[in-house]
Amino acid sequence: MLHMISHGPENGSEAGTPLIIAHGLFGSGRNWGVIAKRLANHRRVIALDMRNHGASPWSEDHSYHALAADIEEVATTLGQPVDLLGHSMGGKAAMVAALSGAPIRRLIVADIAPVGYSHSQQPVIDAMQSVPLDHTTSRAEADQALSAHIEDPALRSFLLQSLNVSAQRWRLNLPALSASMDQIIGFPDISGHFNAPALFLTGALSDYLRPEHRPRIKALFPKARFAKIPQAGHWLHAEKPREFEAAVRVFLDA
């Protein structure tokens, strides 16, 4: 079972439909803490640590079918239909879960499409693996080591959230993620349809979901709607959290 961070009411009709959040590559449920807490005023919100991330179990299988099965297992334990929000890698896993028949009422996919991409994240894994953990005694030292390979301080800060300095280990199964990179940036050949409402929410400055992706999305998700958050890129939930929260709340409460 995946590690879950739960916010809001545990049960009761007043709680509304539970919301499950699936984070992106190199992330964790903790990254979604603020948004999850704010959305939990009328519903239970569960932010997952996906497999090979955070406090969840590690596995050599990091296929989207495996990730989707993890999500479906969590959803099934709740005993009622759920709403599902996934970003990037988590968005692809969420789409596969929806297309595979998981008990999902409404689906939100944040800044990703059901297609393969060419932007490998292997250089990021290489950078993390280059940090000399045996000789690293602080997050600042790890940041200095990462800076030789990653210029963006925001990206380094994000990655370092998954470093356990005292245990001298990453909370990421880097070998498995590296071996699965082609699957992570790809998308499985899957048929079927998700006939419930789906929102594809993108950053206006991002190019992850392009106009040419829309026919494929509509074929798999006939009730798909599209919305953009102005002045936001791929990390739209971190860059514009209030606007992101508002868009999610409007769609879920419709």
Side-chain angles (χ1 to χ4, degrees), residues 9-16:
E10 290 295 314
N11 48 48
S13 59
E14 73 280 4

Side-chain angles (χ1 to χ4, degrees), residues 176-221:
L177 296 177
S178 177
S180 303
M181 187 53 63
D182 287 347
Q183 294 182 81
I184 293 170
I185 64 175
F187 193 78
D189 184 11
I190 189 169
S191 59
H193 305 87
F194 178 71
N195 292 311
L199 174 65
F200 285 75
L201 186 59
T202 61
L205 304 180
S206 172
D207 63 354
Y208 275 69
L209 199 161
R210 299 189 294 272
E212 58 265 32
H213 296 151
R214 290 196 176 197
R216 175 63 173 162
I217 292 171
K218 292 293 285 187
L220 296 173
F221 305 93

Side-chain angles (χ1 to χ4, degrees), residues 97-208:
L99 292 168
S100 300
I104 298 167
R105 184 188 74 112
R106 285 179 173 250
L107 173 71
I108 301 173
V109 179
D111 212 66
I112 204 73
V115 300
Y117 292 84
S118 60
H119 50 268
S120 172
Q121 299 298 316
Q122 188 60 44
V124 179
I125 293 178
D126 293 341
M128 285 187 281
Q129 289 180 320
S130 75
V131 176
L133 298 179
D134 293 347
H135 307 291
T136 299
T137 60
S138 69
R139 204 166 296 273
E141 290 180 3
D143 184 60
Q144 182 63 34
L146 277 180
S147 68
H149 306 277
I150 298 176
E151 184 177 343
D152 183 1
L155 176 56
R156 297 199 306 271
S157 177
F158 167 69
L159 296 173
L160 288 169
Q161 293 181 46
S162 291
L163 177 63
N164 186 332
V165 176
S166 60
Q168 298 181 321
R169 62 182 291 270
W170 292 97
R171 297 186 185 91
L172 299 164
N173 187 353
L174 296 178
L177 296 177
S178 177
S180 303
M181 187 53 63
D182 287 347
Q183 294 182 81
I184 293 170
I185 64 175
F187 193 78
D189 184 11
I190 189 169
S191 59
H193 305 87
F194 178 71
N195 292 311
L199 174 65
F200 285 75
L201 186 59
T202 61
L205 304 180
S206 172
D207 63 354
Y208 275 69

Side-chain angles (χ1 to χ4, degrees), residues 220-237:
L220 296 173
F221 305 93
K223 293 184 179 179
R225 295 165 49 191
F226 301 87
K228 290 185 177 182
I229 294 182
Q231 299 179 333
H234 182 59
W235 300 95
L236 62 175
H237 60 291

Side-chain angles (χ1 to χ4, degrees), residues 18-115:
L19 171 65
I20 295 175
I21 299 177
H23 64 76
L25 183 62
F26 308 135
S28 71
R30 287 193 308 164
N31 301 149
W32 287 81
V34 173
I35 288 176
K37 288 177 182 177
R38 290 183 59 85
L39 289 171
N41 57 341
H42 296 302
R43 67 176 70 233
R44 185 180 182 190
V45 179
I46 299 169
L48 304 178
D49 284 349
M50 304 296 280
R51 64 168 60 197
N52 295 317
H53 293 73
S56 280
W58 286 12
S59 170
E60 292 184 1
D61 185 357
H62 199 79
S63 66
Y64 281 115
H65 287 294
L67 271 63
D70 291 341
I71 293 173
E72 184 168 4
E73 180 183 3
V74 173
T76 301
T77 64
L78 298 178
Q80 65 182 106
V82 302
D83 293 332
L84 178 59
L85 160 61
H87 171 249
S88 201
M89 177 194 79
K92 287 186 173 182
M95 285 187 280
V96 174
L99 292 168
S100 300
I104 298 167
R105 184 188 74 112
R106 285 179 173 250
L107 173 71
I108 301 173
V109 179
D111 212 66
I112 204 73
V115 300

